[in-house]
Amino acid sequence: MAFRLLVTAGDGIGPEVTREAVAVLHQVFERSGRSLDLQEKRIGGIAIDTDGTPLPQETLDAALSADAVLLGAVGGTQWNALPPNTRPEAGLLQLRAALGGFANLRPAFSIAELASNSPLKLDVVSGADILFVRELLGGLYFGAPREWNRATGEAWNTMRYTREEIVRVARIAFDLARKRRRKLTSVDKANVLEVSQLWRATVTEVAADYPDVTLEHQLVDSMAMLIMTSPRNYDVVLTENLFGDILSDESAVITGSLGMLPSATIGGKVNLYEPIHGSAPDIAGKGLANPLGAILTAALVLRHSAGMDAEAVAIESAVRKALEQGFRTADLARGNTTDFTVLSTTAMGQKIRELL
Ligand code: IPM
Ligand code: MN
């Protein structure tokens, strides 16, 4: 049966990195003899300019009838003045809500060949392998009321969670911890926030069903530090929506570049796949973008939606091989171009397909 993938490349570097990820997928499907039924639709700023809305109905319908959705990135400076609910980012949030995936998996890992590129010391990062499970449909991103009242000069957002929303994402995190090093760190701000007290109590309750997994709680502020000082101490890290947004970007430092990290959102009607980086308008169209985050995201599509784990592993090894052989995009070379062969976005994509 054909695998139906909807690609929403979006804005900035979204189209250029997604193009490389899609080329890798074409190659994988061709070789496996399975057919790939690929559709492309607009989302984000490009959709605002063309269709007057960041998530056109056509895109939403196509997403809901696909087997998986692969997104590039949304946003850009020309839409910065818009209020939050009409911005490119709102299209992504509406898509996330409609697809229903509530568990956003964000691996942050050290790759030996890149460790020297991390601003952190080699002996601190080497061997680090964290899997963030970020709750994606609750908290401040979706809580009501939300408003900026210009007349009174007040604005508010609401951090709200229900017990059920916490239970379901906690179960996914515990299940994943079971397949890894059996340690789960739950992040909250329970010394200040009622929502976090509910979070901590609920995660502790769920832990009773997972006696083989060690649960620890950390406050988000100290966790931000601990991830940098001792990243190897962490296995699965469970967070609410905003805390996970912040900590996962911070953890990109472990890998050496935000451009390396993939994500998969599971648990809903259709899984959504996005590299964690943004649209990087400053480097868009210059061939400087790192396509490896998008390519590793394509590997997650194969693993979590297409039942093609062996092919996912093959993509991941091709990426490792390219790095081993000294190939880098500009973000990974950090000025040190003598030891490396620095490739453009398309040349890196080509290299991965060659090594695959
Ligand atoms: C991310 C991004 C998004 C988020 C934005 C673009 C809405 O930062 O995927 O991490 O905040 O979730
Ligand atoms: Mn983010």
Side-chain angles (χ1 to χ4, degrees):
M1 221 171 63
F3 183 74
R4 290 164 307 159
L5 180 69
L6 175 70
V7 175
T8 52
D11 308 315
I13 61 169
E16 50 201 288
V17 297
T18 316
R19 198 173 302 128
E20 300 312 318
V22 165
V24 168
L25 285 173
H26 273 304
Q27 177 170 324
V28 165
F29 274 86
E30 228 157 76
R31 290 201 189 156
S32 72
R34 195 172 166 194
S35 66
L36 176 62
D37 171 358
L38 199 125
Q39 262 200 306
E40 285 183 46
K41 297 287 177 199
R42 284 186 290 272
I43 195 167
I46 172 91
I48 293 177
D49 293 351
T50 316
D51 313 87
T53 164
L55 180 64
Q57 189 64 43
E58 202 184 306
T59 305
L60 181 56
D61 291 343
L64 284 167
S65 59
D67 292 320
V69 178
L70 174 65
L71 180 126
V74 295
T77 45
Q78 64 269 53
W79 304 286
N80 275 353
L82 294 171
N85 60 345
T86 59
R87 286 170 67 105
E89 289 83 350
L92 173 53
L93 297 182
Q94 286 160 21
L95 180 64
R96 287 177 180 169
L99 297 182
F102 53 85
N104 179 224
L105 316 186
R106 299 192 158 191
F109 41 82
S110 128
I111 297 180
E113 291 68 34
L114 285 186
S116 60
N117 184 62
S118 170
L120 298 176
K121 290 200 176 80
L122 197 62
D123 64 306
V124 171
V125 289
S126 67
D129 177 10
I130 304 177
L131 177 62
F132 283 92
V133 178
R134 170 190 176 194
E135 200 293 326
L136 205 63
L137 292 185
L140 287 164
Y141 278 66
F142 292 96
R146 57 183 300 157
E147 190 188 339
W148 177 4
N149 186 324
R150 281 156 211 270
T152 63
E154 283 171 284
W156 54 92
N157 290 91
T158 304
M159 188 190 270
R160 173 183 182 272
Y161 271 103
T162 64
R163 190 181 164 278
E164 290 64 36
E165 285 169 330
I166 302 168
V167 168
R168 64 182 187 176
V169 74
R171 287 201 175 283
I172 288 193
F174 276 108
D175 286 337
L176 289 163
R178 251 187 190 159
K179 295 189 205 132
R180 293 169 49 103
R181 303 190 306 277
R182 293 167 187 265
K183 177 170 177 188
L184 190 140
T185 305
S186 175
V187 175
D188 61 43
K189 187 71 186 172
N191 54 345
V192 175
L193 304 174
E194 284 77 3
V195 189
S196 281
Q197 291 178 336
L198 171 66
W199 182 277
R200 190 175 282 215
T202 307
V203 173
T204 305
E205 225 177 86
V206 173
D209 292 339
Y210 298 86
D212 50 324
V213 177
T214 307
L215 169 66
E216 122 189 326
H217 301 280
Q218 288 291 349
L219 296 172
V220 63
D221 51 351
S222 66
M223 186 65 179
M225 177 196 69
L226 290 168
I227 287 176
M228 293 294 98
T229 54
S230 42
R232 265 195 307 272
N233 277 352
Y234 301 98
D235 179 16
V236 175
V237 176
L238 171 65
T239 74
E240 67 87 50
N241 204 344
L242 183 65
F243 295 165
D245 180 45
I246 298 168
L247 293 182
S248 61
D249 267 35
E250 185 196 14
S251 300
V253 176
I254 295 168
T255 313
S257 169
L258 200 53
M260 286 299 299
L261 299 191
S263 92
T265 303
I266 64 171
K269 296 186 207 113
V270 180
N271 292 348
L272 173 64
Y273 299 86
E274 0 170 6
I276 85 160
H277 64 69
S279 59
D282 52 322
I283 60 164
K286 297 183 179 159
L288 292 172
N290 182 350
L292 296 179
I295 289 171
L296 291 170
T297 300
L300 295 185
V301 173
L302 297 176
R303 175 167 299 133
H304 295 287
S305 285
M308 295 165 80
D309 192 59
E311 289 82 352
V313 171
I315 293 175
E316 290 160 353
S317 344
V319 167
R320 197 156 304 124
K321 229 179 276 169
L323 297 168
E324 260 166 34
Q325 296 178 7
F327 296 104
R328 298 284 187 275
T329 41
D331 56 318
L332 299 174
R334 230 179 263 275
N336 177 2
T337 49
T338 46
D339 300 346
F340 302 132
T341 311
V342 179
L343 301 179
S344 68
T345 310
T346 49
M348 182 57 99
Q350 171 102 46
K351 179 54 71 184
I352 300 303
R353 298 199 295 282
E354 213 177 284
L355 293 169
L356 188 62

